[in-house]
Amino acid sequence: MSHAQRLRQRIEDEIVSGELALGSRLDENQLAARFGVSRTPIREALLQLAATGLVQAKPRRGAIVSAPEPHLLLAMFEAMAEMEAACGRLAARRLVPEDAEALQVALAGCKAAMAQEDTESYYAENYVFHTVVYRASRNAFLAEQALSLHRRLAPYRRLQLRVRQRLPQSLAEHEAIVAAIVAGDEIRAAEALRSHVIVQGDRFTDLVAGLWAPNAA
Amino acid sequence: MSHAQRLRQRIEDEIVSGELALGSRLDENQLAARFGVSRTPIREALLQLAATGLVQAKPRRGAIVSAPEPHLLLAMFEAMAEMEAACGRLAARRLVPEDAEALQVALAGCKAAMAQEDTESYYAENYVFHTVVYRASRNAFLAEQALSLHRRLAPYRRLQLRVRQRLPQSLAEHEAIVAAIVAGDEIRAAEALRSHVIVQGDRFTDLVAGLWAPNAA
DNA sequence: CTTGCAGTGCTTGTATGCAAGAAAAACCGT
DNA sequence: ACGGTTTTTCTTGCATACAAGCACTGCAAG
């Protein structure tokens, strides 16, 4: 694989994981020095990330890690909810034993993480769970799109899970989702995923409250 | 705007409009000579298009216009159907007079184009109609994603509309969609859009049959 | 006649150099 | 002292140069 592709993944990971703060500047020279390459592959990596929306490239003014306005962020969560609902609908219709098994395993993983009250671990297991749902849709394109958006929203999701009481509720919702999919109930599966992902009520306040910290950085 | 951005739009337009055939090679030197620039901005444009999926960049082997396998293409249409359904659902819930007006105008445009039996014109009006639906969702992110995918599927849509009898049916479906949205019936709006976009039954055969021509090029 | 292999040429990927534009700093006038 | 203007500097964007891989041709051997 080329340097540019490696760098793209690396920088994307650093953004998703929160190592690179939202809104922070991505200086080409600085990154080039840091990774020991010239500016060319750095530019190529940044342009690709800009095309996917993870970074924002202002002409002649460099690139920053995307920090969407709250209203756009809500729109992204709403779109995510719709995409996950679609995955759930299709999964409920098409479920094969293999995917049913994977869902149960992923659910067990979440349960174990919650039992230990380990937020970081739950965060990872949550990622696995949703990935399994995407794949269960048996629509490779939709699954990839959903995964891409999930990763893009990861920094904010991390903030959300910090809120106390969110873990048990999240797990209960996961259980309802699996139950609906396994039962083959398309409508219930879609609705369960939609309401699981959508940001409303208290969670809206939690999300907006959490936005202050990264903006300060 | 920079050269790279201009070139990105230009090449994207040529792909969407079908000037650049599916699967055709995108030679950097050739494009550089054609547009009178160096390879650098060409590469940057191609990399951005690769990140959005419109072109496929094989390492050390250059870039080609994406020509997805049939099964992936069907997945893309299915995902498109789900996204449009989501737009319709939200539009039905949130419809404001401004958007209702725009829907009626777009519908009238389609009707006029069909009256003249002008496929090219209908194609353009169809694009406008769907764009209006996206916007009516009042979700800027979802609307942009939907538009992006719509453009990416444009070459295939063009093939589909060539099929006789498709135009009247498409228009009738548009009318049903508008009726459902204006009535505020979320479920009916979603279902009308889903079935309008999804490729199944005869249209599946039509689509696959149409794929032979571009592959030969 | 087919098949394996080496050499050559062409394409991509990276580095470096240069010019243009924007932010920042310094300077001048009021 | 303050506002506006100029200059300076730093960054981006493009061009060119160079290196590295892959493909294709031609040849020879089975």
Side-chain angles (χ1 to χ4, degrees):
Chain A
M1 195 186 278
S2 66
H3 279 172
Q5 299 309 312
R6 249 193 304 277
L7 289 167
R8 190 183 67 74
Q9 284 194 356
R10 176 74 185 274
I11 297 173
E12 181 177 329
D13 284 344
E14 293 198 0
I15 293 173
V16 168
S17 72
E19 288 176 63
L20 280 167
L22 299 169
S24 63
R25 192 124 189 280
L26 296 165
D27 186 82
E28 294 179 2
N29 291 313
Q30 200 173 312
L31 288 170
R34 186 171 141 215
F35 292 113
V37 295
S38 84
R39 277 176 49 225
T40 308
I42 298 285
R43 276 183 69 80
E44 297 190 345
L46 290 180
L47 281 167
Q48 287 183 71
L49 291 173
T52 64
L54 243 149
V55 318
Q56 207 168 0
K58 302 221 172 187
R60 284 275 173 200
R61 293 187 55 187
I64 60 167
V65 179
S66 282
E69 300 293 311
H71 73 93
L72 187 57
L73 198 57
L74 282 176
M76 289 168 74
F77 271 101
E78 187 174 71
M80 181 87 253
E82 294 293 339
M83 287 178 71
E84 298 226 10
C87 288
R89 228 176 50 80
L90 295 173
R93 187 193 306 180
R94 297 172 178 167
L95 192 71
V96 293
E98 185 185 334
D99 289 333
E101 174 71 17
L103 278 172
Q104 298 295 354
V105 170
L107 189 59
C110 290
K111 208 174 292 188
M114 206 213 61
Q116 298 178 268
E117 296 192 356
D118 181 350
T119 306
E120 272 310 307
S121 169
Y122 186 87
Y123 182 82
E125 295 294 340
N126 180 65
Y127 178 82
V128 171
F129 176 79
H130 283 269
T131 305
V132 169
V133 173
Y134 304 155
R135 269 206 297 269
S137 74
R138 294 277 151 183
N139 181 319
F141 181 81
L142 186 59
E144 195 189 304
Q145 292 279 109
L147 190 60
S148 167
L149 184 51
H150 189 108
R151 285 173 64 81
R152 190 162 162 196
L153 291 175
Y156 306 99
R157 222 178 279 271
R158 194 179 292 275
L159 292 174
Q160 283 188 299
L161 283 179
R162 290 239 180 82
V163 176
R164 288 176 63 82
Q165 306 302 333
R166 178 65 195 143
L167 256 58
Q169 196 192 337
S170 173
L171 182 65
E173 289 168 7
H174 282 191
E175 282 170 342
I177 290 163
V178 171
I181 293 177
V182 169
D185 189 333
E186 296 184 21
I187 293 173
R188 199 150 54 88
E191 199 46 52
L193 271 157
R194 208 197 313 274
S195 57
H196 175 60
V197 175
I198 200 94
V199 174
Q200 58 190 2
D202 290 342
R203 294 180 59 204
F204 171 76
T205 313
D206 293 340
L207 176 66
V208 175
L211 288 178
W212 287 100
N215 280 353
Chain B
M1 195 184 281
S2 67
H3 280 174
Q5 299 309 311
R6 251 193 303 277
L7 289 167
R8 190 183 65 74
Q9 283 195 355
R10 177 72 186 274
I11 296 173
E12 180 177 329
D13 284 343
E14 293 197 2
I15 294 173
V16 169
S17 71
E19 288 175 64
L20 280 167
L22 298 169
S24 63
R25 190 120 189 269
L26 295 165
D27 186 83
E28 294 179 2
N29 291 313
Q30 199 174 313
L31 289 169
R34 185 170 144 218
F35 292 114
V37 295
S38 85
R39 275 176 51 224
T40 307
I42 298 285
R43 275 184 69 80
E44 296 188 345
L46 291 180
L47 281 167
Q48 287 184 72
L49 292 172
T52 65
L54 243 149
V55 318
Q56 208 167 1
K58 302 221 172 186
R60 284 273 174 204
R61 293 185 56 186
I64 61 169
V65 179
S66 283
E69 301 293 311
H71 74 95
L72 187 57
L73 199 57
L74 282 176
M76 289 169 74
F77 271 100
E78 188 174 70
M80 181 88 251
E82 293 294 339
M83 287 178 70
E84 298 226 8
C87 287
R89 226 175 54 79
L90 295 173
R93 187 193 306 181
R94 298 172 179 169
L95 193 71
V96 293
E98 186 185 333
D99 289 333
E101 174 71 17
L103 278 173
Q104 298 294 354
V105 169
L107 189 60
C110 291
K111 208 174 291 187
M114 205 212 63
Q116 299 178 265
E117 295 191 356
D118 181 350
T119 306
E120 271 310 307
S121 167
Y122 185 86
Y123 181 82
E125 295 294 341
N126 179 65
Y127 178 82
V128 171
F129 177 78
H130 284 269
T131 305
V132 169
V133 172
Y134 303 155
R135 271 206 295 268
S137 74
R138 294 276 152 180
N139 180 318
F141 181 81
L142 186 59
E144 195 189 304
Q145 291 281 106
L147 190 61
S148 168
L149 184 52
H150 188 108
R151 285 173 65 81
R152 189 161 162 198
L153 291 175
Y156 306 97
R157 222 179 278 272
R158 193 180 292 277
L159 292 173
Q160 284 187 299
L161 283 178
R162 291 240 179 81
V163 176
R164 288 174 63 82
Q165 304 302 334
R166 179 64 195 145
L167 256 59
Q169 196 191 334
S170 172
L171 182 64
E173 289 168 7
H174 282 190
E175 282 169 342
I177 289 163
V178 171
I181 293 177
V182 169
D185 188 335
E186 296 183 21
I187 294 173
R188 198 150 55 87
E191 198 48 52
L193 271 157
R194 208 198 312 273
S195 59
H196 175 61
V197 174
I198 200 93
V199 175
Q200 57 190 3
D202 291 343
R203 294 180 60 204
F204 171 75
T205 314
D206 294 340
L207 176 66
V208 174
L211 289 178
W212 287 100
N215 280 354

